[in-house]
């Protein structure tokens, strides 16, 4: 009989210790060590759970390796394909995480139902088959004869279902609910997630069948479980958004087969998630004409330019300490921009509350939005409206200069396509304004941009 060994494992980072400790020496968290039983047995007869000793690799010269272009599988979802880099790569392991109730399961089930020329297997450890059917009926396209669903939490039984169905795509919702007999800890623990994900990875690489894992996140916003889970998978996607808004963003954090700068935008509806092919038209509103504190910025996420509305409110501080609040933007960068306004340009905002909001519930990281943000703040402070046919783009330096941004021609073309009359950009020597049907205004300093906007 195999001898069992007891170890203590940190549920935050996965560090192991021979005895219980209060503070984890690896990650510094308190009271995260839990006793787990590790069975010391060498099982070689459990299908995909063990390595086949007969299949051994030998080193070969790198020049002898034959490669070919990967044929990606089309998911029928343009936004999902864009984030993955063109589709699902055979044998890849994709992890998607997000807040509870944000729509992860709805998105993946909708994609599975859209794939009609492939046999798919959706394994749910959280919902029954009846619940999955009710969810599918709410979607606009719920009929697919090649889609199979099962409610299962045992990893060994999951591989039995896979051998019987022989699917072309496997979805596991979620990895934190799956457990294996190889570890005696509870589902969702570090040991269980590590063992199950390693076995699924081995199956995907040996069979060439792509697997999509849905993962929970912890209170810090990171994927729950050991960090090794994010290391071993090929792609990590983050599905984010505010539940009070209709828009959702699918962002690529790690991608071995494509760019990590891509994102997909969806609109949550009663019948599922709808792809937003042109986000600029949806993120701009026409009801801010004549109102101060609003500016239109041109941002780029991935390879897609889009215009977004920046809203700001500046008011006298009601209490001794002025308030600084930002929604959809980094608060530390906002404080830096306010310091530039006060030090370099001379606007006294130290005793005023400043509130900033990126319309639509999106979170933007593009530094080219800096110019539109400080112009919106100044517009609210002076109570002077900015022309609604003018947009801005540019990064602000600490000395008050407007720094160049990448892909400026794409930004100008997007503004021209949406009917804007003029755009304020940093100074570029290679830009020919005659090529565009929009008035291009160059500005080196923030003061020059202010003069063009407010006179």
């Amino acid at each position: 009989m195999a001898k069992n060994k007891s170890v203590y494992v940190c549920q935050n980072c996965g560090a192991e210790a021979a005895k219980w400790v209060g503070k984890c020496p690896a990650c510094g968290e308190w009271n995260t060590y839990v006793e787990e039983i590790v069975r010391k047995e060498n099982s070689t007869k459990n299908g995909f759970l063990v390595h086949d000793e007969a299949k051994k690799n030998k080193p070969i010269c790198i020049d002898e390796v034959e490669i070919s272009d990967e044929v990606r599988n089309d998911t029928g979802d343009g936004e999902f394909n864009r984030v993955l880099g063109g589709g699902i790569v055979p044998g890849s392991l994709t992890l998607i995480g997000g807040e509870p109730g944000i729509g992860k399961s709805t998105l993946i089930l909708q994609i599975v139902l859209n794939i009609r020329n492939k046999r798919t297997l959706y394994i749910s450890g959280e919902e029954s088959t009846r619940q999955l059917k009710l969810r599918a009926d709410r979607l606009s396209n719920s009929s697919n004869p090649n889609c199979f669903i099962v409610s299962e939490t045992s990893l060994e039984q999951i591989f039995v279902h896979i051998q019987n169905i022989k699917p072309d795509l496997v979805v596991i919702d979620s990895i934190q609910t799956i457990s294996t007999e190889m570890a005696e800890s509870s589902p969702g623990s570090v040991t269980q997630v590590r063992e199950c994900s390693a076995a699924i990875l081995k199956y995907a690489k040996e069979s060439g069948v792509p697997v999509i894992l849905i993962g929970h996140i912890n209170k810090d916003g990171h994927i729950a479980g050991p960090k090794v889970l994010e290391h071993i998978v090929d792609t990590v996607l983050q599905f984010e958004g505010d539940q009070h808004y209709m828009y959702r963003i699918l962002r690529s954090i790690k991608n071995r087969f494509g760019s990590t700068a891509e994102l997909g935008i969806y609109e949550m509806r009663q019948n599922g998630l709808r792809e937003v092919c042109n986000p600029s038209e949806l993120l701009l509103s026409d009801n801010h004409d004549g109102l101060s504190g609003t500016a239109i910025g041109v941002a780029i996420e991935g390879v897609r330019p889009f215009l977004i509305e920046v809203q700001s409110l500046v008011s006298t501080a009601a209490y001794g300490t002025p308030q600084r609040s930002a929604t959809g933007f980094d608060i530390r960068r906002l404080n830096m921009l306010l310091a530039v306004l006060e030090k370099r340009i001379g606007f006294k905002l130290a005793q005023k509350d400043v509130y900033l909001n990126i319309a639509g519930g999106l979170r933007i990281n593009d530094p080219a939005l800096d110019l539109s943000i400080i112009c919106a703040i100044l517009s609210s402070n002076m109570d002077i409206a900015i022309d609604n046919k003018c947009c801005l783009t540019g990064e602000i330096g600490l000395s008050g200069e407007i720094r160049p941004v990448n892909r400026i021609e794409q930004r100008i073309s997007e503004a021209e396509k949406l009917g804007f009359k003029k755009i304020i950009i940093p100074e570029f020597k290679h830009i020919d304004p005659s090529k565009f049907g929009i008035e291009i205004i160059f500005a080196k300093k923030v003061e020059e941009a202010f003069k063009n906007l407010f006179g």
Side-chain angles (χ1 to χ4, degrees), residues 329-347:
F329 191 75
D330 188 5
I331 184 65
R332 293 171 296 181
R333 190 163 186 85
L334 173 62
N335 291 330
M336 184 269 289
L337 295 176
L338 294 176
V340 171
L341 275 176
E342 183 158 349
K343 178 71 175 180
R344 302 297 182 185
I345 307 171
F347 289 95

Side-chain angles (χ1 to χ4, degrees), residues 296-298 307 371 389-394 408-416 420-426 436 438-443 452-453:
I296 306 300
V298 187
L307 280 77
L371 183 58
K389 291 299 181 181
C390 177
C391 58
L392 312 99
T393 184
I408 187 64
E409 293 187 356
Q410 295 183 25
R411 301 174 193 262
I412 298 174
S413 300
E414 182 72 12
E416 180 184 355
F420 283 83
K421 301 301 182 183
K422 61 180 179 178
I423 179 173
I424 299 178
I425 66 172
F436 303 95
I438 182 175
E439 181 184 357
I440 300 176
I441 301 174
F442 297 102
N452 283 285
L453 287 175

Side-chain angles (χ1 to χ4, degrees), residues 158-176:
I158 287 175
F159 283 125
V160 172
H161 296 314
I162 289 175
Q163 289 179 342
N164 294 333
I165 298 296
K166 292 181 174 55
D168 299 313
L169 173 66
V170 177
V171 175
I172 298 180
D173 181 13
S174 63
I175 186 60
Q176 281 82 11

Side-chain angles (χ1 to χ4, degrees), residues 30-49:
W30 287 87
N31 298 324
T32 57
Y33 273 84
V34 176
E35 184 181 10
E36 295 183 359
I37 305 298
V38 180
R39 193 181 302 174
K40 306 295 287 186
E41 61 180 357
N42 185 20
S43 175
T44 59
K45 299 180 180 180
N46 288 333
F48 297 106
L49 297 180

Side-chain angles (χ1 to χ4, degrees), residues 199-338:
I200 295 171
L201 174 68
K202 185 175 186 297
Y203 158 74
K205 299 305 179 185
E206 291 184 354
S207 64
V209 176
V211 180
I212 298 178
L213 304 177
I214 299 178
H216 298 164
I217 64 171
N218 53 27
K219 60 182 181 181
D220 297 325
H222 304 294
I223 303 293
K227 199 68 177 177
V228 69
L229 176 61
E230 299 179 46
H231 284 289
I232 67 174
V233 299
D234 298 310
T235 306
V236 180
L237 306 179
Q238 188 80 14
F239 199 50
E240 58 190 38
D242 194 333
Q243 294 185 0
H244 301 290
Y245 291 90
M246 66 183 75
Y247 299 113
R248 303 287 187 268
I249 291 181
L250 184 65
R251 197 184 301 272
S252 175
I253 300 176
K254 170 189 175 182
N255 192 353
R256 290 173 178 162
F257 308 111
S259 172
T260 58
E262 287 293 348
L263 61 81
I265 301 179
Y266 294 88
E267 181 184 5
M268 178 64 78
R269 292 188 171 184
Q270 293 289 339
N271 57 352
L273 291 159
R274 187 185 71 86
E275 303 174 46
V276 179
C277 299
N278 189 5
S280 297
E281 296 181 354
L282 297 178
L283 297 176
L284 298 179
S285 61
D286 297 329
N287 56 1
H288 64 270
D289 190 15
L291 299 178
S292 62
T294 300
I296 306 300
V298 187
I300 281 187
E301 292 288 341
V303 296
R304 171 191 294 180
F306 58 90
L307 280 77
I308 195 163
E309 183 178 325
V310 178
Q311 300 173 343
S312 177
L313 177 64
V314 179
S315 62
T316 304
Y319 304 98
T321 304
Q323 303 294 315
R324 302 285 189 263
S325 176
T327 303
F329 191 75
D330 188 5
I331 184 65
R332 293 171 296 181
R333 190 163 186 85
L334 173 62
N335 291 330
M336 184 269 289
L337 295 176
L338 294 176

